[in-house]
Amino acid sequence: MTTDTSPSRQGPPRTPTLEMVAAEAGVSRATVSRVVNDSPRVTEHVVQAVNEAIARLNYVPNRAARSLASRRTQVIALVVPETTAKLFSDPFFATVVQGIAMALSETEYTLNMLISSELRSEKTRRYLLGGNADGAIVVSHHSGDHDFSHLGATLPIVFGGRPLIQNDEDSYFVDVDNVAGAATATEHLLDRGARHVATIAGPQDMPPGFDRLAGWSRALQSRGLDDSLVEVGDFTPESGAEAMRRLLERGRPIDGLFTANDQMAAGAYSVIRDHGLRIPDDIMVAGYDNNYFGSTASPSLTTINQPSHELGAKMAEVLVRLIENKPTPLVTLMPTELIVRASTDRRPTA
Amino acid sequence: MTTDTSPSRQGPPRTPTLEMVAAEAGVSRATVSRVVNDSPRVTEHVVQAVNEAIARLNYVPNRAARSLASRRTQVIALVVPETTAKLFSDPFFATVVQGIAMALSETEYTLNMLISSELRSEKTRRYLLGGNADGAIVVSHHSGDHDFSHLGATLPIVFGGRPLIQNDEDSYFVDVDNVAGAATATEHLLDRGARHVATIAGPQDMPPGFDRLAGWSRALQSRGLDDSLVEVGDFTPESGAEAMRRLLERGRPIDGLFTANDQMAAGAYSVIRDHGLRIPDDIMVAGYDNNYFGSTASPSLTTINQPSHELGAKMAEVLVRLIENKPTPLVTLMPTELIVRASTDRRPTA
DNA sequence: GTGAAAGCGCTAACAG
DNA sequence: CTGTTAGCGCTTTCAC
C-alpha cells in the first residue's frame, strides 16, 4: 500500500469521444452533435446510423466539454444555509429536498447541493456567479437567508418559503399557503361548534408564524368573532405549554384552540389536562404540520398537512421554467390539506 | 410576458477569464493558472500581483474549462436509489446525507445528488462512467442496491452500509458496527441483572437485522447463556408486538429484551403491559436507533445511538482519500453509543 | 441537411 | 521560476 498522493492520471482517453462516433458512423462531428442534441434538421436515416454508432461504442457525452462550448451547465444548485442544514433531520425539510431531487431526476439537470455557512457564503456566491450553475434553489427556514436575493438579477433563483419582507427586487418563490391553511383549521373548529377559539402563534418574525396567526384571525373576523385570545410560542412543546397556561389564566372561556404547529399542541395538551379539561369535549384542538407529534398524541391531533414533496417538486419546476425563459409567476402558493382526527371529533353544536 | 422558449444566450462573456487576469497582472496565463492552483514554484511577488488582479477583476475560474483540461471534475456523486429516496424523511438517512454534505463543503469537492430509479439506473451508470464525477457515494437501506459495486473498478466508490454478501470485488464501505452495538445493549441488560434475555430481531436478509441478532447472540454466548429466545419482526411496531406475543407464549422466563430497533420495542411495550408485566421491574428492554419512538416511550427506552452525521462525514472522508490515492482501509466501522434510560433502570441483582 | 473551421476557458508538458 | 504551445471534447456559425 503506497502513499502516492498525486491524483491518479490514467493515460489514454477512457471514454469514447464524439469524434470517434463520427468516424464510426461516417459523418462529421457536427452531425453527431446535432443528433445528440436532437436538432430537428437531420435526416432520419443519418440519425439512425449515428445512434447505432453511439450504442456500439457506448458513447456518453462529456459534460464539461459540452458546457464549456455551449455556455450552459445543466446544473442546478441547491443552496442550503448551514443553519438550515442542521435541521436536515426535520422531515419537512428533508422531504422538500427529496421532492426537488426527484423532480430534477426526470430532467436533464443535475442537482448540486451546497451548504452555505455564514462565513463561507462568499464561496457560494462566487460559485453561482462563476457560471457554474444554470440556476439555483435556496431553501431555508430562517428567511433572513435571503442574502442571495440580489443574485436573482444575474442568475435564475427560486426561493423556498416567502421572504419576511417582500423585497423590491422581485424574487421568485414557492411556498405553502400558510394563511389559507390556518384559516381552514380555524374554520374547522368553528364548524365543529367552537365559539371561543384561542391560538398559540409562532414567532412573529418568521413568515410561517406570522402567516398562520393571520389566517386564524381572518377566519374569526370573517365570522365576526373575537380574535384577541393570542399567545406566542417558539414552536417547541415547552413554549406551547407555557402559552396554554397563560391563555387559561386569562379566565376567559375557551372551547377551541389552534396552534401554529403540532409540537406546541403537544405541549398544550398536558396543560389542558392538568386543568381538568377534556379534549375534544371541553376544548377542541387543531395543529399544523402533520408530524409525529400530532399523530401519536392522545387524542390524535387534527392538523394541517403540508405538501412538502410537491413543494420541492414545484420549486424545481419553476426554476426550470425560469431557466428556459418560459413565463412563470413570481409567487407560487401550494394548497394545504386538513387532516381531521380525534382532537376535534365532536358533532357540530346547534 | 413573452413565450420565448430558447435558453437565454447572453452576448459577451459575463465573467472575467483567466486571460484577462493575466493581462491585468502582466504575466502569462500559465502563471495565473499556477497561482490559482497554488503551485509551489511561483515567486511570492508574482503571487501577490496576480491575486490582486484577481480581486480587482473579481475573477472566478470556470469549472467546466478547468475540468475539461485537467480531466478532473471536482464532483462527487451521491447516488440514492429511489427506494431509499422515498425514505428521505427517515431522520437517520437524512442525517447521513447532511454529514456527507457538510464534510464536503469543507473541501474543494462539490456534491451531486442523483436519484437512481430501478428503471433509469442505466442513466446513473452512464453518468458515472462518462467521467462526470471523480467518485461516488452510494447510500441505501436495501443493500441489494449494490448493483454499482462493479463500477468500483472504474471509479472510486464508497458504499454506505455493508453489502449483504461480501462480494469478491472488494468494495469500500463504511458502516455502523451493528454487531458491537447489539452486543453492548445486551451486555448492559446482563449487567443490570437480566439472565433470560430474549430478542426481537429484524429481517435476516437485511444487514442491520442480521448483524444485530449476531451481536445479541455473541453477548449471551460469551457468558454461556441461552440464545434461543428469538423472534423476527420487520422493524415496524406492529411486528414488534406480534413477536413479543410469540415470545411470551413460549412460556419460558424472560427478564430482559433486546429489540433490533426502537419501533419494535414500542410495539413490544404494549404487549408486555397487556400481560401484566412491568418495565423494567419484570422485563428490562433495550432498543436500537435512538429515535423518537424510544425517547417518547414510557418508560423511556434504553437504546443504541448511531453516529449518523459522523457516518456521512466518514463516507465523504474515505472517498476523498480514495480519489487522492491515499491509503484507505476497505471497511470502516463506526462505534455506537449506549443511551441508558428508564427501561433498564434497575440495580444489578446479586 | 451536412461539413469545415473556429473557438469555449483552462491546464500541462516542454523549453528557456 | 515563467512563458509558449497544444490541446481537453464539444457546439456553433457559416458556407456548401
Side-chain angles (χ1 to χ4, degrees), chain B residues 3 93 106 116 126 172 176 196 203 212 254 310 312:
Chain B
T3 313
F93 178 67
E106 306 281 303
S116 156
R126 297 181 88 78
Y172 287 80
V176 163
H196 307 282
R212 291 171 194 175
I254 297 178
E310 292 74 13

Side-chain angles (χ1 to χ4, degrees), chain A residues 91-97 99-100 176 305-313:
Chain A
F92 174 73
F93 178 67
T95 312
V96 170
V97 172
I100 295 172
V176 163
N305 184 54
Q306 313 206 60
S308 40
H309 184 97
E310 292 74 13
L311 196 63

Side-chain angles (χ1 to χ4, degrees), chain B:
Chain B
M1 216 179 247
T2 72
T3 313
D4 180 3
T5 288
S6 69
S8 60
R9 181 95 56 266
Q10 324 287 9
R14 305 159 299 174
T15 216
T17 70
L18 184 150
E19 183 157 21
M20 296 167 67
V21 176
E24 174 82 8
V27 296
S28 75
R29 298 183 339 200
T31 299
V32 177
S33 175
R34 290 192 185 97
V35 173
V36 170
N37 299 291
D38 41 48
S39 149
R41 31 186 183 176
V42 188
T43 315
E44 180 58 33
H45 179 253
V46 178
V47 173
Q48 288 228 335
V50 172
N51 278 329
E52 278 163 17
I54 288 179
R56 224 170 307 142
L57 266 44
N58 218 300
Y59 167 74
V60 27
N62 178 310
R63 271 180 166 256
R66 195 209 284 254
S67 100
L68 180 56
S70 68
R71 303 169 141 297
R72 238 172 301 129
T73 64
Q74 303 278 69
V75 166
I76 284 180
L78 173 62
V79 179
V80 186
E82 192 172 35
T83 46
T84 303
K86 298 247 171 77
L87 299 173
F88 221 88
S89 57
D90 174 344
F92 174 74
F93 178 67
T95 311
V96 169
V97 172
Q98 175 199 25
I100 295 173
M102 294 194 69
L104 248 26
S105 79
E106 306 281 303
T107 73
E108 285 297 287
Y109 292 93
T110 247
L111 217 215
N112 240 153
M113 190 168 140
L114 313 179
I115 307 282
S116 156
S117 71
E118 306 280 316
L119 312 163
R120 273 176 292 98
S121 91
E122 190 49 36
K123 186 179 165 192
T124 305
R125 194 187 313 287
R126 297 181 88 78
Y127 177 87
L128 296 179
L129 256 25
N132 296 309
D134 290 343
I137 294 176
V138 180
V139 289
S140 62
H141 280 301
H142 312 290
S143 29
D145 297 311
H146 274 252
D147 313 339
F148 299 101
S149 43
H150 67 283
L151 293 188
T154 314
L155 190 77
I157 300 195
V158 171
F159 292 89
R162 82 162 173 74
L164 190 57
I165 305 125
Q166 180 61 47
N167 40 12
D168 344 47
E169 359 181 14
D170 301 309
S171 43
Y172 287 80
F173 65 85
V174 3
D175 200 353
V176 163
D177 194 341
N178 282 298
V179 178
T184 299
T186 307
E187 277 154 14
H188 170 70
L189 291 170
L190 297 173
D191 291 345
R192 288 288 167 98
R195 283 298 164 272
H196 307 282
V197 180
T199 190
I200 298 177
Q204 293 301 294
D205 56 352
M206 296 171 78
F210 185 87
D211 290 348
R212 291 171 194 175
L213 174 57
W216 169 83
S217 280
R218 196 183 72 184
L220 292 180
Q221 289 179 359
S222 77
R223 299 216 193 176
L225 295 171
D226 171 47
D227 69 341
S228 66
L229 282 167
V230 181
E231 286 292 342
V232 175
D234 65 5
F235 285 144
T236 62
E238 296 71 37
S239 74
E242 289 298 333
M244 190 68 224
R245 207 162 285 132
R246 293 196 298 273
L247 239 20
L248 291 172
E249 278 169 2
R250 294 196 187 186
R252 296 180 35 204
I254 297 178
D255 57 5
L257 172 70
F258 166 65
T259 63
N261 76 346
D262 290 358
Q263 269 92 318
M264 293 198 293
Y269 264 39
S270 60
V271 173
I272 291 175
R273 264 194 296 261
D274 288 351
H275 277 248
L277 298 169
R278 294 158 308 165
I279 304 170
D281 311 82
D282 298 312
I283 300 186
M284 289 188 287
V285 182
Y288 204 112
D289 273 358
N290 186 28
N291 63 28
Y292 192 87
F293 284 87
S295 56
T296 59
S298 171
S300 59
L301 182 69
T302 288
T303 190
I304 294 292
N305 185 54
Q306 314 207 60
S308 39
H309 184 97
E310 292 74 13
L311 197 64
K314 198 60 165 182
M315 285 161 61
E317 184 196 321
V318 168
L319 182 56
V320 170
R321 291 184 65 85
L322 226 49
I323 292 174
E324 296 177 347
N325 262 307
K326 293 183 182 154
T328 312
L330 269 177
V331 4
T332 306
L333 253 26
M334 303 291 287
T336 57
E337 179 193 13
L338 177 70
I339 309 282
V340 179
R341 298 215 190 88
S343 67
T344 56
D345 189 13
R346 202 161 93 187
R347 291 301 91 214
T349 59

Side-chain angles (χ1 to χ4, degrees), chain A residues 20 43 103 109 115 122 150 171 193 214 220 230 244 253 262 285 294 311:
Chain A
M20 296 167 66
T43 316
Y109 291 93
I115 308 281
E122 189 50 35
H150 67 284
S171 43
L220 292 180
V230 181
M244 191 67 223
D262 289 358
V285 182
L311 196 63

